[in-house]
Amino acid sequence: MEQGNDKLELVYGVEDKPSPMESAYAGLQHLLAIIVGIITPTLIIGGVLGLGERIPYLISMSLIVSGVATFIQAKRIGPVGSGLLSVQGTSFAFLGAILTAGFIVKGQGGGPDEILATIFGICFVGAFIEMVISRFLHVLKEIITPVVTGTVVMLIGLSLVKVGITDMAGGKWLLDNKPEFFGTAGNLGLGILVLLVVLILNRSKNPMIRMGSIVGGILIGYLVALAMGKVNFGHMSGVEIISIPIPFNYGFAFSWTAFIGVAFIYIITAIESTGDLTATSMLSGEPVEGDKYMDRIKGGVLGDGINSAIAAIFNTFPNTTFSQNNGVIQMTGVASRFVGMYLAAFLVILGLFPVIGGFFRSLPNPVLGGATIVMFGTVAAAGVNIIASMGRLGRREILIIAVSLGIGLGLAFVPEVLSQTPKAIQQIFGSAITSGGLAALILNLVLPRSQS
């Protein structure tokens, strides 16, 4: 089924080449829509796992790798990449599994370098799962259905809300070390202010303001925090002038226990990326069925896996396609893949300068929490949207969702349920995403479809 450019009101199609000025302007709009999303997972992981002064470097690597990954997707090198304006960035989906892996290493006495070595090691190996899956997408779509993918995406968002609300109240370090300052009116007020600004800007009729709502909320929150004396400029001092990507800068380690959760998310990400790429193809006036379409999707998911391996090599977390950029394509009417190359250059240039990472690290926790609570809620809502795409749900689908959410969130709320089981079981199934996701997958395989 071909989507005509006229029907979609495209100004530039996939193979069109806008002028350098037009390409740069369109690329900046995409940058505005994604930069906070790329950086935030690293800020959260770094803050929760206590990675300290390594955070600016990790942020720099996340921007550089996102640029390289976006270039690969847009350029399409051989069979790798979608050949669409498909933007890549650090994935929120892996947060829970990565934090679990970090706590496993921490519990064994490992320091920040050991934590990062293990995280990047398991993420590198796991990336090959997505590469292999990309070759069998037509088969897996019958097994990992929207009810499974949607439920897992809901669990990802809902399980991360705890991180967002903790930051709004002051952050995990404050909770653990100075609980008397946790949840003060100043902290909560700052977080709520950011949340309200994001909501107000997001309801604007101006597309540019709407796209920059998260950035705008953080900027206003930062200025208010500055006036309140809550900004720590110590994070800006001593930062290197330029960041040099060094392969496996923190070493390489592997843990089977930590690997299970990450491996499962790679499977889900492959299917989720299929949906994102399909939407990009449709909005770009390209086929959404047939051989050309499937070739693009397989190339895009293969690129997803390869880009995640590159991310692990160069000290950042798994990459995936960003769905919010489909909204930018729709609003601007620019689907040219050459815009992606300009965006890639912007990301690499920003990543080369660690002062950007230092700035984001100086953000007070309540400011970050006010923004991330919206972002995590949006992830959960995206899961609902995936499930809703199935139309009317039968008893079978409702049962799968109900049991999976019950198990996943139940174990997240009361992890002591597994206290009498072997430690390896606690570490693997203590994650809401892993336990609930596996429940959804197993139930989808064993429950008879005739009972819908």
Side-chain angles (χ1 to χ4, degrees):
M1 178 173 63
E2 295 281 347
Q3 304 287 337
N5 285 8
D6 293 337
K7 183 179 178 181
L8 292 168
E9 300 180 351
L10 285 178
V11 180
Y12 293 106
V14 171
E15 298 298 335
D16 295 332
K17 290 186 178 181
S19 69
M21 188 67 72
E22 290 173 312
S23 296
Y25 180 65
L28 284 172
Q29 291 183 77
H30 281 280
L31 182 67
L32 192 64
I34 63 170
I35 186 162
V36 174
I38 291 174
I39 287 167
T40 301
T42 302
L43 282 173
I44 292 169
I45 292 167
V48 173
L49 296 179
L51 301 181
E53 68 276 3
R54 295 162 185 78
I55 295 175
Y57 180 78
L58 296 174
I59 289 175
S60 290
M61 293 305 103
S62 71
L63 289 166
I64 290 173
V65 169
S66 292
V68 172
T70 298
F71 178 84
I72 290 171
Q73 283 286 9
K75 176 72 174 175
R76 186 174 170 94
I77 303 168
V80 182
S82 64
L84 298 168
L85 179 47
S86 179
V87 179
Q88 297 257 165
T90 312
S91 174
F92 275 100
F94 289 84
L95 268 183
I98 285 174
L99 289 174
T100 300
F103 284 128
I104 289 172
V105 179
K106 209 169 187 178
Q108 295 168 347
D113 285 358
E114 288 79 14
I115 289 171
L116 289 171
T118 301
I119 288 172
F120 296 139
I122 61 178
C123 287
F124 176 77
V125 175
F128 289 90
I129 294 174
E130 190 171 7
M131 294 181 211
V132 172
I133 286 173
S134 72
R135 306 297 89 189
F136 301 97
L137 282 174
H138 54 291
V139 177
L140 277 175
K141 285 182 73 176
E142 299 300 318
I143 301 170
I144 306 178
T145 60
V147 72
V148 175
T149 308
T151 301
V152 172
V153 173
M154 281 175 64
L155 283 166
I156 290 168
L158 293 172
S159 63
L160 290 174
V161 166
K162 180 180 178 181
V163 175
I165 204 74
T166 301
D167 276 340
M168 279 185 73
K172 193 173 187 307
W173 183 89
L174 204 62
L175 176 62
D176 293 341
N177 296 279
K178 295 185 177 180
E180 66 274 16
F181 295 110
F182 183 80
T184 59
N187 286 335
L188 290 175
L190 193 54
I192 291 169
L193 172 67
V194 173
L195 174 59
L196 289 174
V197 172
V198 171
L199 290 175
I200 292 167
L201 295 181
N202 194 259
R203 299 306 302 163
S204 170
K205 293 181 180 179
N206 186 312
M208 285 296 292
I209 293 175
R210 199 161 58 240
M211 282 189 299
S213 60
I214 297 287
V215 175
I218 287 178
L219 182 60
I220 290 174
Y222 188 85
L223 292 173
V224 172
L226 194 61
M228 296 171 65
K230 286 181 173 291
V231 177
N232 180 6
F233 288 107
H235 298 308
M236 305 283 285
S237 62
V239 176
E240 298 289 335
I241 296 174
I242 194 166
S243 284
I244 305 299
I246 301 171
F248 292 116
N249 191 33
Y250 303 101
F252 183 97
F254 187 83
S255 163
W256 280 106
T257 308
F259 177 70
I260 303 297
V262 168
F264 182 70
I265 302 301
Y266 270 116
I267 297 172
I268 297 300
T269 298
I271 305 301
E272 191 182 359
S273 293
T274 299
D276 290 339
L277 290 163
T278 300
T280 307
S281 189
M282 181 183 71
L283 292 169
S284 303
E286 294 294 307
V288 291
E289 61 182 21
D291 293 341
K292 183 179 180 182
Y293 160 75
M294 187 50 67
D295 185 53
R296 279 194 188 280
I297 298 301
K298 286 184 174 181
V301 176
L302 177 60
D304 229 36
I306 288 174
N307 290 333
S308 288
I310 293 172
I313 292 170
F314 290 103
N315 319 293
T316 188
F317 309 105
N319 265 232
T320 191
T321 51
F322 268 27
S323 58
Q324 57 262 51
N325 294 91
N326 288 327
V328 182
I329 293 173
Q330 192 168 28
M331 284 188 288
T332 61
V334 178
S336 170
R337 63 192 180 95
F338 298 99
V339 169
M341 298 174 194
Y342 281 78
L343 172 60
F346 292 150
L347 287 166
V348 171
I349 291 168
L350 286 175
L352 286 172
F353 301 101
V355 68
I356 294 169
F359 165 76
F360 277 97
R361 194 188 169 203
S362 73
L363 285 175
N365 288 95
V367 174
L368 185 64
T372 55
I373 201 79
V374 180
M375 296 165 77
F376 297 152
T378 302
V379 172
V384 175
N385 199 36
I386 292 169
I387 295 171
S389 69
M390 298 179 65
R392 184 180 178 276
L393 298 178
R395 286 179 297 154
R396 177 182 180 275
E397 287 72 32
I398 290 173
L399 192 62
I400 292 172
I401 297 166
V403 173
S404 303
L405 289 178
I407 291 174
L409 294 178
L411 287 173
F413 294 149
V414 193
E416 294 82 7
V417 168
L418 299 175
S419 60
Q420 301 304 314
T421 61
K423 194 167 184 179
I425 298 294
Q426 295 177 40
Q427 292 170 338
I428 294 171
F429 294 101
S431 164
I433 302 163
T434 306
S435 54
L438 285 174
L441 189 61
I442 293 168
L443 288 172
N444 189 48
L445 288 170
V446 302
L447 288 182
R449 295 180 185 273
S450 59
Q451 293 185 8
S452 294

